[in-house]
Amino acid sequence: MCGIVGYSGPKSVEEVLIRGLKRLEYRGYDSSGIALMQNQEIVLFKAEGKLENVEKLVKASSPESRLNSVRSGIGHTRWATHGKPSVQNAHPHQTGHVVIVHNGIIENYLEIREQMIADGFTPKSETDSELFGFLVLKEMNRGLRLRPAVSESFRQVRGACSVVVMSEKEPGTLIGVRNGSPLAVAKIENNGGMIIASDAQPIVDYTKEVYFIESGDGVELSGGELTFFDWRTNREFQKTPTKIEWSSDQLDKQGFDHFMLKEIHEQPTAMVDTINSIRDKAGDLPFALIGQPGLKELQAADEIIIIACGSSYYAGLLGKYWIERYSKIPVQVELASEFRYRSPLIRPKTVVIGLSQSGETADTLAVIRDLKAFKATQPSNQSSLFNLITIGITNVRGSSISREADACLFTCAGPEIGVAATKSFCSQLTVLFMIAGFLARNSETRKLMVLSGQGVERENTGAIEQVFQEFLKVPHLMKRFLEPDSLWLRAIEGAADALLLSKGFFFIGRGYSYPIAMEGALKLKEIAYVHAEGYAAGELKHGPIAMLDKDMTVVVLAPQDSWREKTVSNLEEVKARGAKVLGIGLENDDRLKSLCDYWIPIPLPATSGDFHSLLYPFLLLPTIQLFSYRIALKKGTDVDKPRNLAKSVTVE
Ligand code: M6R
């Protein structure tokens, strides 16, 4: 989604803006621009495509003497919604002496556009964003100063968005307002100026003390000071900063060819950090979540509903398998974009988990808000009966979901720059597994009937303490896998190179491997632009099998768990239709290997004899990630910033 950076202070403004926008590139964009306040005049540089195009324009047109007089500016990366990617539609947008950058959507833009035209202005772009500058200009022409003019204008627009505004009438001042789309701001130590941005990433280069602006709030950056205010009432207030725990080094590739590759390699650390953050207060208790918020409600829940989108939805699905397996609490996993527009049934003691890597996904956030609003409308004499609780699980402290859910648990993956989720997904699995194990500890008291079928119920899960010990070994195992030039890695690369030209892929798996199959297909689609589908292996014959021929590849995830035999039967059906088969299974599974055209063995060291099948997803995960990465690499796509994608989807 769009990215905003603004700066006012003594540093080189264009450098701060360009550097900041580079930090936001991961969000996805198709054009960009900056506006510099040079003395009392706005100078714009905008271009389609990569940020370097803007950088070149700035370098070509700004002799140093001119840039020295610049003390403030705003910049933007645009991910097109209203109007195609073009220089005209790129931000910043100037109307008279006002210039703005905007992230989000102005829903009532048509009526504002008509007003603008009726007032004798000709919009220069097709965007909804430009119209906001017109509103501010109109308010300033009525005699308001910049801050009240921005507040008044913001009250006139509908839709989730944030805006940062400058005016030639008040050089050096920036006003940022938020209703939905995130904004963060900071004062740089030693009079280094003030910086505002869509998230903390452009800010941590200068300071770790960051203020996250709430919806309904705004901030004025002027005279070296930050002033927080409520744009609905104009009331000023004090705010406490949040300390960012990661450093700006993590925003560099550190020798890897791509952020995605680096982030795949960071998964063991992300897991350890996440486990430790949860166990901090728990001593040696297995799976203990002592001190974590929302615990009592989780333990007492009649039902858990996990709400998510994209990769997070797949993580949630695996969470369902684990949590139901262990806790006997029914778990529903729902796509946020569907859940919010139907009339779901909710039991009195339901815990709704908003699972979101960014903590900003519009649909997931909307569900949390809707549920809270719904709860607030319940008559007070009913409220003890209706004990609905929302819990966020997110990777971003200070994010909207972390603040708006009743409670929040954090994954500790650090910043993830590659648009394709890798370590953030792995950390979500880590937290969900911890929750499942934690809930297992009082599951005996539950009276639910468990159907004892062909699947997991036949497994001997062992004592919870033992599973926990195995779980703690996963990061170490994963690290060993990821060592350069391992057999595993070579097998992945060999298979990817051989299957590069396949017409399409099905990833199939059963049980715990099924959500990973879906995640594998999503990874391949998003970074290599290859058509891929993730399927429950048993579903293939209910339709998709018609698509199989020699040009199709079926990736079969079949570790030695209680579903393996069934998956192998499905593999035979695939083979009989002539499709190529890539098997991913345990190293010692010679039978599986013999059935596959290509084979990626997952090596389990001899010492891990007790390695529990519940944990195989953690080992399948880097395998499918690196397989997709290799195909994308060979195809020459933009791995870290795939076309059309945004990292954080803040519009519905
Ligand atoms: O930030 P969220 O987890 O809420 O984002 C939801 C999806 O947009 C996201 O998981 C997306 O599918 C992944 N980045 C794809 O790799």
Side-chain angles (χ1 to χ4, degrees):
M1 295 286 108
C2 302
I4 289 177
V5 181
Y7 173 74
S8 177
K11 296 184 190 292
S12 158
V13 178
E14 75 280 9
E15 271 177 39
V16 176
L17 296 183
I18 299 273
R19 185 175 187 186
L21 291 176
K22 284 190 177 156
R23 296 289 192 214
L24 296 178
E25 275 188 305
Y26 77 97
R27 296 163 71 93
Y29 70 106
D30 35 49
S31 60
S32 54
I34 63 171
L36 303 177
M37 188 65 74
Q38 197 181 299
N39 297 319
Q40 290 202 320
E41 194 193 337
I42 293 161
V43 189
L44 289 176
F45 302 93
K46 309 204 284 187
E48 239 186 273
K50 296 286 166 198
L51 197 52
E52 288 84 73
N53 300 338
V54 172
E55 229 175 331
K56 279 186 205 142
L57 289 178
V58 177
K59 284 208 176 103
S61 75
S62 301
E64 227 170 90
S65 55
R66 281 176 56 201
L67 288 181
N68 282 342
S69 62
V70 174
R71 285 290 161 264
S72 59
I74 53 180
H76 190 266
T77 46
R78 174 173 187 256
W79 189 80
T81 54
H82 292 64
K84 60 184 180 300
S86 67
V87 174
Q88 280 85 353
N89 290 337
H91 300 215
H93 290 290
Q94 183 176 2
T95 313
H97 56 76
V98 173
V99 66
I100 66 111
V101 285
H102 165 242
N103 175 21
I105 285 180
I106 297 177
E107 285 168 1
N108 54 335
Y109 77 102
L110 282 177
E111 60 199 67
I112 304 174
R113 193 177 164 88
E114 277 168 24
Q115 211 188 103
M116 186 174 179
I117 293 168
D119 282 3
F121 288 89
T122 310
K124 291 181 221 135
S125 75
E126 303 160 297
T127 65
D128 52 344
S129 312
E130 180 190 357
L131 307 170
F132 190 76
F134 156 73
L135 291 178
V136 176
L137 182 71
K138 203 167 158 181
E139 295 304 329
M140 289 186 82
N141 286 347
R142 280 187 189 145
L144 290 183
R145 288 186 58 90
L146 182 59
R147 194 219 289 183
V150 171
S151 295
E152 179 51 38
S153 307
F154 212 49
R155 291 194 282 267
Q156 295 169 36
V157 298
R158 286 198 307 272
C161 60
S162 56
V163 185
V164 178
V165 188
M166 295 194 301
S167 163
E168 288 170 349
K169 302 283 182 206
E170 295 182 35
T173 297
L174 268 64
I175 309 290
V177 279
R178 170 174 189 200
N179 177 31
S181 312
L183 269 184
V185 69
K187 196 170 147 182
I188 302 167
E189 291 88 15
N190 304 321
N191 299 322
M194 297 154 299
I195 178 166
I196 185 164
S198 293
D199 64 37
Q201 303 204 6
I203 300 179
V204 287
D205 281 320
Y206 308 99
T207 175
K208 290 192 165 191
E209 304 266 301
V210 178
Y211 300 87
F212 292 98
I213 310 287
E214 306 284 339
S215 272
D217 293 347
V219 61
E220 173 168 346
L221 297 74
S222 76
E225 293 301 328
L226 301 175
T227 310
F228 298 99
F229 60 94
D230 181 326
W231 54 260
R232 295 159 300 193
T233 61
N234 297 327
R235 187 185 55 85
E236 290 184 6
F237 59 88
Q238 303 289 317
K239 214 172 154 56
T240 320
T242 302
K243 185 137 178 90
I244 299 296
E245 280 157 6
W246 40 269
S247 75
S248 58
D249 302 350
Q250 284 173 268
L251 303 176
D252 295 321
K253 287 193 204 134
Q254 294 172 353
F256 286 91
D257 288 342
H258 291 98
F259 280 109
M260 181 180 175
L261 188 60
K262 170 179 163 248
E263 288 156 4
I264 291 172
H265 281 79
E266 283 172 347
Q267 290 179 121
T269 311
M271 274 189 84
V272 170
D273 289 349
T274 302
I275 294 170
N276 285 345
S277 78
I278 289 176
R279 287 182 75 206
D280 262 358
K281 301 181 190 129
D284 288 334
L285 287 176
F287 291 111
L289 277 79
I290 292 169
Q292 296 292 321
L295 280 196
K296 275 205 305 281
E297 288 82 2
L298 267 173
Q299 276 177 312
D302 286 340
E303 181 179 31
I304 297 172
I305 304 179
I306 301 178
I307 303 287
C309 304
S311 275
S312 296
Y313 173 75
Y314 302 144
L317 213 52
L318 191 44
K320 169 188 168 76
Y321 278 59
W322 283 330
I323 295 171
E324 286 193 341
R325 170 79 191 97
Y326 268 153
S327 72
K328 314 287 184 284
I329 300 175
V331 181
Q332 313 291 337
V333 189
E334 299 256 8
L335 291 168
S337 54
E338 288 297 312
F339 185 86
R340 66 182 288 204
Y341 290 118
R342 59 187 183 83
S343 308
L345 300 175
I346 297 181
R347 292 192 175 91
K349 281 196 290 176
T350 295
V351 171
V352 174
I353 296 183
L355 185 61
S356 170
Q357 294 143 9
S358 63
E360 299 295 347
T361 298
D363 285 315
T364 312
L365 181 58
V367 170
I368 288 178
R369 286 183 179 154
D370 291 351
L371 290 173
K372 287 186 79 179
F374 170 70
K375 200 177 155 190
T377 61
Q378 297 307 299
S380 53
N381 59 351
Q382 297 274 310
S383 57
S384 59
L385 289 175
F386 198 81
N387 201 12
L388 167 71
I389 293 290
T390 57
I391 300 183
I393 299 182
T394 176
N395 194 41
V396 183
R397 281 173 202 271
S399 59
S400 303
I401 288 179
S402 76
R403 291 193 315 270
E404 296 193 30
D406 296 317
C408 190
L409 279 95
F410 290 97
T411 53
C412 298
E416 187 175 70
I417 311 295
V419 165
T422 52
K423 61 176 179 169
S424 60
F425 180 86
C426 180
S427 315
Q428 286 176 322
L429 297 188
T430 306
V431 170
L432 291 167
F433 196 76
M434 295 285 285
I435 290 177
F438 166 76
L439 292 175
R441 302 173 76 221
N442 71 339
S443 66
E444 300 74 40
T445 56
R446 299 195 167 270
K447 298 275 178 291
L448 272 188
M449 281 235 294
V450 180
L451 287 180
S452 195
Q454 298 287 313
V456 287
E457 283 306 312
R458 283 191 304 158
E459 281 181 348
N460 170 18
T461 48
I464 204 81
E465 289 75 13
Q466 190 193 332
V467 177
F468 186 68
Q469 290 314 315
E470 293 304 314
F471 172 62
L472 291 181
K473 288 182 195 158
V474 171
H476 176 66
L477 267 180
M478 211 192 254
K479 211 176 172 90
R480 285 189 48 169
F481 272 36
L482 289 163
E483 274 164 16
D485 211 29
S486 66
L487 265 177
W488 169 77
L489 199 56
R490 273 188 273 142
I492 293 173
E493 291 178 354
D497 294 354
L499 295 167
L500 190 63
L501 298 178
S502 285
K503 194 168 68 182
F505 288 78
F506 281 99
F507 285 68
I508 63 169
R510 284 174 180 252
Y512 309 132
S513 303
Y514 164 46
I516 301 294
M518 294 208 281
E519 174 65 1
L522 181 67
K523 290 286 91 87
L524 196 56
K525 278 187 273 216
E526 64 182 334
I527 63 167
Y529 317 149
V530 176
H531 187 74
E533 305 247 16
Y535 253 89
E539 274 293 297
L540 214 57
K541 61 168 100 43
H542 296 285
I545 202 163
M547 302 203 42
L548 297 187
D549 62 21
K550 63 177 181 22
D551 298 321
M552 296 288 286
T553 295
V554 180
V555 182
V556 182
L557 309 185
Q560 271 153 345
D561 54 24
S562 54
W563 290 277
R564 178 189 160 282
E565 275 170 45
K566 299 281 167 204
T567 310
V568 169
S569 309
N570 299 130
L571 185 161
E572 303 268 19
E573 292 157 6
V574 165
K575 266 185 88 71
R577 271 79 191 175
K580 296 189 183 75
V581 175
L582 165 61
I584 304 179
L586 296 194
E587 193 177 37
N588 58 1
D589 195 342
D590 292 334
R591 167 152 161 72
L592 180 61
K593 179 181 174 187
S594 71
L595 293 171
C596 300
D597 302 301
Y598 303 92
W599 170 239
I600 301 176
I602 294 192
L604 278 184
T607 51
S608 59
D610 295 331
F611 194 75
H612 207 285
S613 59
L614 285 160
L615 299 167
Y616 288 144
F618 287 105
L619 306 184
L620 293 173
L621 183 63
T623 314
I624 53 101
Q625 291 168 338
L626 284 169
F627 178 72
S628 302
Y629 173 76
R630 177 72 178 190
I631 292 197
L633 201 65
K634 286 280 169 174
K635 289 198 170 247
T637 57
D638 190 346
V639 172
D640 285 333
K641 288 172 271 170
R643 67 186 181 202
N644 305 337
L645 287 183
K647 178 78 176 160
S648 149
V649 182
T650 52
V651 291
E652 60 174 290

